[in-house]
Amino acid sequence: MKFEYYNPTHLIFGAGTLARLGEVTSAYGKKAMIVTGGGSVKRSGAFDRAVASLSAAGVSFVECDGVEPNPRLSSVARGGEIARTEGCDVVIALGGGSVMDAAKVMAAAVYYEGDLWEMFPHGQANRRLPERALPVITVPTLAATGSEMNSGAVITDEKTTIKSFVGAKCLYPKAAIVDPELTLSVPKDQTAYGVCDLITHVTESYFNGVDGTPMQDRFAESVIATAIEWGPKAVADGSNLEARAQVQWASVVALNGWVQTGCMSPFPVHMIEHTISALHDIAHGAGLAIVNPAWMRFAAKSRPARFAQFAHRIFGIELKSEEDMEAALQGIDRFEEFLRSIGCPTRLSECGIGDELLNRYAEDTLLVAGNAFGQLAGRPMMTQADIVEVLRAAV
Ligand code: NZQ
Ligand code: ZN
């Protein structure tokens, strides 16, 4: 194993921590841009409480609202323009992953010359990463993406319907205020999709990472087991603050880089899913619930021992041998049943999606994430035909 770990985000976790927003923000300036989505934070009262905390700390604000789920490049450009013309010192993201991702790129847009889409891989010859950004404070209202404590952002170019990602040091939030009370109003379906998303963040590295990372295996298993224990409680009773807190902590850990450290893992399931949520505007976590089990059945053929380990350690399935394929497949079935039990779709047809565009999804996946040989990185490497095969199994 050989690795570096870097994560500069100051994490403040716990019920009621939203009250610290003003104090935390005031360390970065006197004028903030608050980025929000379609209105949930206004309805829940979170916005008013955020503003009260800022006012008490002497921080003024302007607003950039209306960021859509699966955020569009035009919204990001609009927010960058507001922050620049208003002379904001700091950007506050108050919302789900879409709001946080958009806010990060808005913060970078203030300094970025030219077309923002050049940050995002989409088949272009030269990619230009952002090098500077305004300080960002994240305040997640949904437990899912882990965007609050990582350097990534996922944006859709609505002109081409390509969804792509950027990761850069300057996009790490300065602080993440993670207050589980803010997630009490998340509806059942989005709660379940968040649980699926956070689990998939760690299954990616568990199944696609390099060999010889036993501690990271245990980290990933711990995240999965925690999500399987507490996720259904949060879905069944949204007002269960303890369940909300456990799920949210799991979602932070799942993608703040710690579990993946040293795994050097690509994220093939994510790369495939992004093309589906880009074209059909479905929730990312719902898309993952469809793609991940189908991908697992495909990948298990070339790596049965790893999937047998998953079956044994997560679901207690007895193994007849280290490479017990029957047990491996049982584990995947159990995982899929779990996703269904909390209300996730596990087939494209449940989202009204047919098989007409399977080739298009595969092409778009490779456009964004393919290597020079037209393959998608992962274990195993996937060709366009492999991606189509996985998706056909998920129709
Ligand atoms: O827009 P509002 O009105 O706020 O409503 C949202 C939205 O409709 C609602 N919601 C959020 N918090 C709520 C709430 N409703 C009631 N009460 C609350 N407290 O939930 C809906 C979905 O929100 P969204 O932000 O889109 O969901 P999520 O957090 O799952 O984010 C998904 C986006 O993140 C990207 C995805 O691709 C997708 O675009 N990802 C970002 C990653 C990252 N930066 O590290 C990694 C992920 O793998 C993912 O790809
Ligand atoms: Zn995800």
Side-chain angles (χ1 to χ4, degrees):
M1 260 194 305
K2 200 172 179 188
F3 59 80
E4 281 185 36
Y5 182 76
Y6 175 79
N7 190 321
T9 304
H10 175 186
L11 173 65
I12 299 170
F13 187 96
T17 50
L18 175 62
R20 297 204 31 210
L21 180 64
E23 165 218 323
V24 172
T25 306
S26 63
Y28 299 100
K30 285 274 162 220
K31 185 169 183 181
M33 176 171 80
I34 308 181
V35 184
T36 63
S40 70
V41 296
K42 303 271 171 76
R43 291 188 293 276
S44 70
F47 184 81
D48 288 344
R49 284 189 280 143
V51 166
S53 174
L54 291 172
S55 304
V59 179
S60 66
F61 74 94
V62 293
E63 229 190 303
C64 173
D65 62 5
V67 170
E68 53 286 276
N70 301 316
R72 315 293 198 266
L73 193 61
S74 58
S75 298
V76 171
R78 172 171 64 87
E81 195 53 35
I82 296 173
R84 192 183 305 114
T85 53
E86 293 280 348
C88 295
D89 307 310
V90 48
V91 176
I92 296 169
L94 180 63
S98 296
V99 164
M100 294 189 281
D101 286 4
K104 288 174 179 175
V105 185
M106 289 171 189
V110 170
Y111 300 110
Y112 197 83
E113 301 289 338
D115 182 0
L116 293 175
W117 195 232
E118 286 179 28
M119 291 180 204
F120 297 84
H122 58 275
Q124 77 273 46
N126 292 314
R127 187 169 169 208
R128 218 160 36 89
L129 286 172
E131 287 169 2
R132 274 182 82 191
L134 288 178
V136 174
I137 315 283
T138 49
V139 188
T141 62
L142 200 165
T145 63
S147 180
E148 59 274 5
M149 200 180 167
N150 70 38
S151 63
V154 181
I155 302 294
T156 300
D157 174 32
E158 61 266 54
K159 290 198 203 109
T160 54
T161 40
I162 297 292
K163 190 179 202 187
S164 188
F165 60 91
V166 58
K169 258 189 181 175
C170 67
L171 299 181
Y172 274 107
K174 296 289 181 208
I177 297 180
V178 182
D179 181 344
E181 275 179 8
L182 303 182
T183 67
L184 293 173
S185 55
V186 177
K188 278 188 198 299
D189 57 352
Q190 293 289 345
T191 304
Y193 304 156
V195 170
C196 176
D197 190 20
L198 81 88
I199 292 176
T200 311
H201 293 153
V202 303
T203 61
E204 294 273 29
S205 54
Y206 193 82
F207 293 122
N208 294 292
V210 297
D211 291 334
T213 57
M215 192 147 96
Q216 287 87 334
D217 286 1
R218 298 289 189 188
F219 286 154
E221 289 156 5
S222 154
V223 168
I224 298 165
T226 304
I228 288 179
E229 180 180 350
W230 291 94
K233 295 179 188 169
V235 172
D237 175 10
S239 67
N240 181 339
L241 184 59
E242 175 66 6
R244 292 290 194 182
Q246 300 307 340
V247 170
Q248 198 164 24
W249 177 217
S251 74
V252 174
V253 173
L255 203 57
N256 69 358
W258 191 240
V259 177
Q260 292 79 14
T261 297
C263 294
M264 313 218 315
S265 174
F267 270 48
V269 174
H270 271 69
M271 294 303 111
I272 297 170
E273 190 294 314
H274 283 169
T275 65
I276 298 170
S277 49
L279 278 156
H280 302 285
D281 211 11
I282 63 169
H284 167 63
L288 292 174
I290 294 164
V291 178
N292 204 13
W295 175 86
M296 286 169 140
R297 292 189 180 99
F298 171 84
K301 286 184 265 176
S302 60
R303 239 188 140 194
R306 179 108 295 230
F307 287 84
Q309 175 179 304
F310 173 81
H312 179 64
R313 294 196 185 166
I314 301 296
F315 295 110
I317 294 169
E318 286 304 322
L319 304 185
K320 295 195 191 78
S321 69
E322 241 185 53
E323 306 224 330
D324 187 341
M325 188 63 175
E326 206 184 316
L329 292 174
Q330 264 178 37
I332 300 168
D333 288 347
R334 289 277 294 277
F335 177 55
E336 192 175 48
E337 277 162 30
F338 165 75
L339 295 174
R340 267 194 229 119
S341 74
I342 56 171
C344 290
T346 55
R347 294 290 180 274
L348 288 167
S349 54
E350 292 171 64
C351 296
I353 302 171
D355 64 357
E356 298 81 10
L357 296 177
L358 301 187
N359 264 309
R360 169 79 194 273
Y361 309 137
E363 278 165 19
D364 287 359
T365 304
L366 292 174
L367 179 77
V368 169
N371 67 14
F373 309 102
Q375 293 168 314
L376 179 64
R379 297 183 75 171
M381 301 291 278
M382 296 174 84
T383 62
Q384 185 169 331
D386 294 333
I387 299 172
V388 171
E389 182 187 328
V390 164
L391 290 171
R392 194 170 296 288
V395 170

